[in-house]
Amino acid sequence: MQQGRYDAIVVGGGHNGLVAAAYLAKRGRRTLVCEAREVVGGAAVTEQPFGPGYKVTSLSYVVSLLPPALVRDLDLHRHGYKVYPQGPYFAPHARGTSLQLSNDPVRRREEIAKFSPRDAEAEERWDAWMAGLADVLGPLLSAVPPKVGSRHPVDLASQARLVWKLRGLDTRKAADVTRLFTLSIADLLEEYFESPELQAVHAVSGVIGTWAGPRAPGTAYVMAHHHIGDVGDGHLGSWGFAEGGMGGVSNAMAAAARSFGAEIRTSAPVRRITTRNGRATGVVLEGGQELTADVVVAATHPRITFLEQVDRAELPGDFVADIERWKTRSGTVKVNLAVDRLPRFTCRPEFDPEIHGGTIVLAESLDDMEGAFQDASAGRPSAVPFADVCIPSVFDKTLAPEGHHIVSMFTQWVPHTWAGKPMDEELEAHADRVVARMERVAPGFTDSVLFRQVIGPYQMEHEYGLIGGNIFHGELSASQLFHTRPAAGYADYRTPVRGLYQAGSATHGGGGVTGIPGRNVVRQIEKDLRKAERRQKVRARLPIPTRSG
């Protein structure tokens, strides 16, 4: 094999890139991963900003919709993959009350009934409604979107298969789906529930990581995206803490890829994806080294891939326009803490693994959350930030010294324009407000903090490659989903350049640690390679034309 020559090169060593590399190598393709940072994982990475005794999941902090079939295919458990199931939602309130959505249906009902007996009844209808939507829409998360509107026979067949998958949609469910994609999460929840406390907890998934408040149209779908995905084997999306932090997931994927023969280079940023006659031919690294391959998979943000690494002359104008207007705003700030003790909540002062090991919601109503977003929308950081808080060290003792803990606080909102400059002082003040909010429900929390790390939109973009600081590589709005993610006609993981494919979080199935884009892109690659092999065999059997004298 010629040095510098590969069957496939994967640009970006985030979790989707690693999954793609593993599947390609497993199929016998000589595969190289080029990762710009010194570690693989992208946003799913474990780092040690507080010294060797502490492991911190810097950005992404829970495993969400990783398909069990993918875990088996890559034998991730053999490579150290282990997940602790995350506990339920727990919302402590400044007035001394709390709401815990226990996994036990009896306890859950009792908790909700404290705020509204009517809502306790409605919760069962809500769960049934969500399950009904999941039966129909869930499998679409793992599907390859068709080219909707194309009249090519192959694309028409794909569209017909989509219609067949949606055959379970009756008149009522079709209306429910329409409402899901158009309603705000606030409007939807207010149809079911009356208590502000329960509305706030259910709204979390509708706004997490999103540049939108709970009253913005389309946020109902964002909630559904995080809960109704059928990730295979009949399992709906569930959440958990990876042992060793999220870097444990990425490291297992990297180990799997290497076990199949893939090569992974870190500190190897790609300057340019090379092309010739409309076909990808490889990459050029920042240091000038040129590497060649017939297949290139871009697992980075689409603006990086198509506006910086690929010559725009190789791309159709309407495709470039789609990428240029791709919305990738963010108002999120990740606050990571090392503490010398667990928080003692006024409402629940004793240790409870379901509370301390669950999702702690710092939001008391829809208006509370909407006010935080409106502050940021007006150009100022939220006066009372919303936060989604987890303490993974409750289960994973490898993260901190005995008795100490790691607290992960995913907070919102700050102005999305903060992606344009560091804003260090302002970010520290924002973190102060988040910690103060925790102090109000858990007195003594501030004094327990030993170390603090604050990562804002600017650092997310410039250090981790998340343009605009958006953790999903692009907003999960109705205009950026399924057959338009990330561009019309190219949601099937292919691109306008032959041999160049895409598999980042901005493709369908992304928007969480799913690995689905990385798996699906290889299916498309293998399909295209088989098609090319059949054509070659046909050409080889054709008679060679001769000239007659």
Side-chain angles (χ1 to χ4, degrees):
M1 178 68 71
Q2 180 182 351
Q3 187 176 11
R5 172 72 187 170
Y6 296 87
D7 297 322
I9 296 174
V10 179
V11 181
H15 79 279
N16 282 309
L18 294 171
V19 167
Y23 274 109
L24 285 165
K26 187 177 181 181
R27 285 162 171 75
R29 310 291 178 188
R30 186 168 187 247
T31 304
L32 170 69
V33 178
C34 295
E35 166 56 38
R37 299 189 72 221
E38 67 280 1
V39 293
V40 296
V45 64
T46 301
E47 297 175 301
Q48 295 185 294
F50 308 144
Y54 301 90
K55 296 178 182 178
V56 176
T57 293
S58 301
L59 293 177
S60 177
Y61 54 103
V62 285
V63 181
S64 53
L65 304 169
L66 198 63
L70 185 154
V71 175
R72 289 196 304 273
D73 287 348
L74 304 186
D75 203 5
L76 294 184
H77 290 297
R78 183 169 70 88
H79 298 291
Y81 176 75
K82 180 179 180 180
V83 176
Y84 300 92
Q86 186 179 11
Y89 282 117
F90 171 69
H93 307 136
R95 64 182 182 278
T97 59
S98 66
L99 174 61
Q100 181 184 7
L101 296 187
S102 173
N103 293 325
D104 177 359
V106 174
R107 290 173 55 201
R108 185 187 187 102
R109 185 184 180 95
E110 291 173 349
E111 278 283 307
I112 296 172
K114 293 189 308 184
F115 297 93
S116 168
R118 176 182 174 275
D119 284 0
E121 298 284 345
E123 180 78 359
E124 295 180 13
R125 294 195 301 274
W126 170 262
D127 289 342
W129 184 75
M130 288 288 291
L133 285 176
D135 290 342
V136 177
L137 295 182
L140 295 183
L141 184 68
S142 299
V144 175
K147 292 186 178 182
V148 176
S150 170
R151 292 176 174 80
H152 189 283
V154 173
D155 297 329
L156 288 172
S158 296
Q159 293 170 53
R161 285 193 293 271
L162 172 63
V163 172
W164 178 250
K165 285 182 179 180
L166 295 175
R167 66 191 182 278
L169 278 178
D170 57 19
T171 303
R172 171 50 52 194
K173 283 185 179 178
D176 286 343
V177 170
T178 301
R179 291 168 63 240
L180 187 71
F181 279 92
T182 56
L183 282 177
S184 72
I185 185 61
D187 284 342
L188 181 62
L189 291 171
E190 286 172 344
E191 291 179 2
Y192 278 85
F193 308 112
E194 63 184 7
S195 64
E197 296 83 3
L198 184 57
Q199 291 171 351
V201 171
H202 278 315
V204 169
S205 294
V207 298
I208 196 74
T210 301
W211 179 248
R215 299 200 180 279
T219 48
Y221 170 77
V222 178
M223 175 277 302
H225 174 87
H226 293 300
H227 287 289
I228 68 173
D230 183 349
V231 296
D233 304 337
H235 290 79
L236 294 183
S238 57
W239 303 79
F241 301 121
E243 184 169 86
M246 291 302 292
V249 179
S250 299
N251 290 340
M253 291 173 173
R258 290 189 178 102
S259 75
F260 296 128
E263 178 186 346
I264 299 175
R265 297 191 195 181
T266 55
S267 301
V270 169
R271 178 195 304 163
R272 184 163 49 91
I273 295 172
T274 56
T275 59
R276 185 182 303 114
N277 299 325
R279 170 173 286 280
T281 58
V283 302
V284 176
L285 302 183
E286 284 291 351
Q289 183 181 12
E290 184 166 358
L291 306 169
T292 59
D294 290 333
V295 170
V296 177
V297 179
T300 49
H301 192 286
R303 284 192 182 174
I304 294 175
T305 302
F306 301 112
L307 303 184
E308 298 179 17
Q309 294 175 333
V310 175
D311 185 348
R312 293 196 190 194
E314 297 285 346
L315 303 171
D318 56 354
F319 177 86
V320 172
D322 281 347
I323 301 302
E324 287 178 330
R325 62 172 168 252
W326 182 249
K327 291 180 174 57
T328 184
R329 297 165 297 183
S330 169
T332 61
V333 177
K334 185 73 187 303
V335 180
N336 298 311
L337 307 174
V339 298
D340 63 11
R341 58 189 180 275
L342 287 171
R344 289 176 59 87
F345 297 101
T346 302
C347 53
R348 301 282 184 93
E350 301 306 317
F351 171 71
D352 183 338
E354 280 199 355
I355 289 175
H356 294 90
T359 298
I360 301 163
V361 177
L362 298 184
E364 301 193 13
S365 69
L366 292 170
D367 288 342
D368 177 344
M369 301 168 80
E370 183 66 24
F373 174 71
Q374 290 302 328
D375 280 347
S377 183
R380 57 183 181 271
S382 54
V384 184
F386 149 69
D388 184 279
V389 182
C390 299
I391 312 176
S393 52
V394 167
F395 302 116
D396 185 359
K397 305 303 180 183
T398 70
L399 300 181
E402 183 68 29
H404 292 193
H405 288 275
I406 297 297
V407 179
S408 168
M409 311 180 89
F410 197 83
T411 77
Q412 298 171 210
W413 283 265
V414 298
H416 70 84
T417 54
W418 284 19
K421 48 186 175 181
M423 308 297 291
D424 293 337
E425 291 184 10
E426 292 84 352
L427 286 170
E428 291 296 335
H430 170 84
D432 288 342
R433 290 190 292 276
V434 174
V435 171
R437 183 160 199 182
M438 190 73 156
E439 176 75 21
R440 287 195 287 273
V441 296
F445 180 75
T446 304
D447 290 339
S448 73
V449 176
L450 301 172
F451 304 102
R452 186 169 84 178
Q453 178 190 40
V454 184
I455 303 176
Y458 181 88
Q459 187 177 354
M460 292 180 191
E461 174 169 335
H462 289 81
E463 185 170 339
Y464 297 94
L466 304 175
I467 302 301
N470 190 285
I471 60 172
F472 305 132
H473 282 197
E475 297 166 30
L476 295 174
S477 57
S479 63
Q480 298 192 164
L481 295 174
F482 200 55
H483 65 286
T484 60
R485 191 166 182 87
Y490 296 98
D492 61 354
Y493 309 100
R494 298 182 177 93
T495 77
V497 178
R498 285 172 294 144
L500 174 61
Y501 299 81
Q502 51 185 331
S505 193
T507 57
H508 178 66
V513 181
T514 71
I516 292 171
R519 181 193 63 185
N520 283 2
V521 73
V522 175
R523 292 176 177 175
Q524 299 295 77
I525 291 168
E526 293 297 323
K527 186 185 298 182
D528 290 349
L529 291 175
R530 287 193 299 269
K531 188 185 298 182
E533 289 170 2
R534 287 196 297 269
R535 286 174 178 166
Q536 286 181 342
K537 289 179 181 178
V538 169
R539 290 195 191 101
R541 288 196 292 266
L542 292 175
I544 299 174
T546 58
R547 295 189 179 187
S548 57

